[in-house]
């Protein structure tokens, strides 16, 4: 990865991209730290069609607030892949995910230190198609038996190795 390659990605450039791609399926905003939480929300609120079409969203390492992420995720009923790794994501956000993003196949919360067994359980119980959960470096998740009993493939170490 080149240092500073995302420095030029800001609200205006994302707004232009999103405005021209109304049926976008995949959006990777990984490392787009040059955007504020309020701008993140402002990208999606007026674009309900986009929110409905998105199936893949990567917002890891962005610094968006839990409230902003929750507000946006509530608008994305068809999301199948969500990566919020290395953000401030917590059990409250996972509660929103469990209610709004029930079509999830993949969830990455690696490095999110405010996630617990209870939050992950809510998602697993609501997202019946969930196949993979990345919980690497999540110190409060240790109920691997529950996840394995629900046939969830786990990614649990910093190198994203899997166990069954």
């Amino acid at each position: 990865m080149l240092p500073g390659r995302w420095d030029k990605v800001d609200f205006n450039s994302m707004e232009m991209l999103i405005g021209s791609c109304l049926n976008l399926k995949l959006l990777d905003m990984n490392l787009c730290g040059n955007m504020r939480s309020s701008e993140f929300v402002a990208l999606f609120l007026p674009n309900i069609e986009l929110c409905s079409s998105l199936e893949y969203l990567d917002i890891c390492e962005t610094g968006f607030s839990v409230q902003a992420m929750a507000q946006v995720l509530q608008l994305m009923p068809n999301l199948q892949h969500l990566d919020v790794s290395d953000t401030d994501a917590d059990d409250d956000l996972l509660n929103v995910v469990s209610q709004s993003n029930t079509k999830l196949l993949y969830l990455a919360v690696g490095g999110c230190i405010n996630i617990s067994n209870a939050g992950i359980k809510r998602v697993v119980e609501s997202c019946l198609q969930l196949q993979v959960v990345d919980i690497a470096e999540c110190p409060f998740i240790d109920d691997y038996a529950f996840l394995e009993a629900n046939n969830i493939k786990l990614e649990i170490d910093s190198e994203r190795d899997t166990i069954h």
Side-chain angles (χ1 to χ4, degrees):
M1 196 169 316
L2 299 173
R5 79 176 196 190
W6 299 113
D7 288 348
K8 299 201 183 332
V9 177
D10 61 7
F11 175 76
N12 292 329
S13 58
M14 286 302 295
E15 185 177 45
M16 189 169 65
L17 171 73
I18 286 173
S20 63
C21 300
L22 293 178
N23 292 318
L24 197 63
K25 299 278 186 211
L26 184 151
L27 183 58
D28 187 340
M29 297 178 70
N30 178 2
L31 292 172
C32 289
N34 201 25
M35 194 178 311
R36 295 181 304 222
S37 293
S38 59
E39 293 172 328
F40 175 64
V41 172
L43 282 174
F44 292 97
L45 284 183
N47 294 301
I48 300 303
E49 297 85 17
L50 169 68
C51 294
S52 294
S53 70
L54 268 181
E55 295 175 359
Y56 179 109
L57 181 64
D58 184 338
I59 52 176
C60 74
E61 298 185 63
T62 54
F64 301 137
S65 71
V66 170
Q67 295 80 9
M69 290 187 285
Q71 197 171 356
V72 168
L73 289 173
Q74 288 177 22
L75 304 172
M76 299 181 174
N78 295 310
L79 209 54
Q80 296 176 17
H81 179 112
L82 176 61
D83 190 340
V84 294
S85 298
D86 298 308
T87 67
D88 289 334
D90 61 11
D91 286 348
D92 290 335
L93 182 67
L94 291 186
N95 190 43
V96 170
V97 168
S98 72
Q99 295 172 8
S100 303
N101 311 115
T102 58
K103 295 181 181 179
L104 275 186
L105 302 173
Y106 178 90
L107 174 64
V109 295
C112 296
I113 62 171
N114 299 313
I115 303 265
S116 72
N117 289 324
I120 292 293
K121 283 182 182 181
R122 267 194 304 275
V123 172
V124 170
E125 290 168 350
S126 298
C127 301
L128 301 178
Q129 298 175 61
L130 191 64
Q131 298 171 2
V132 179
V133 178
D134 175 350
I135 55 174
E137 300 174 29
C138 294
F140 301 111
I141 300 175
D142 58 8
D143 192 353
Y144 305 137
F146 170 80
L147 294 168
E148 291 170 343
N150 284 280
N151 296 315
I152 305 295
K153 183 191 251 185
L154 302 177
E155 295 180 353
I156 61 168
D157 71 19
S158 60
E159 301 202 8
R160 308 300 201 249
D161 290 336
T162 59
I163 66 168
H164 300 279

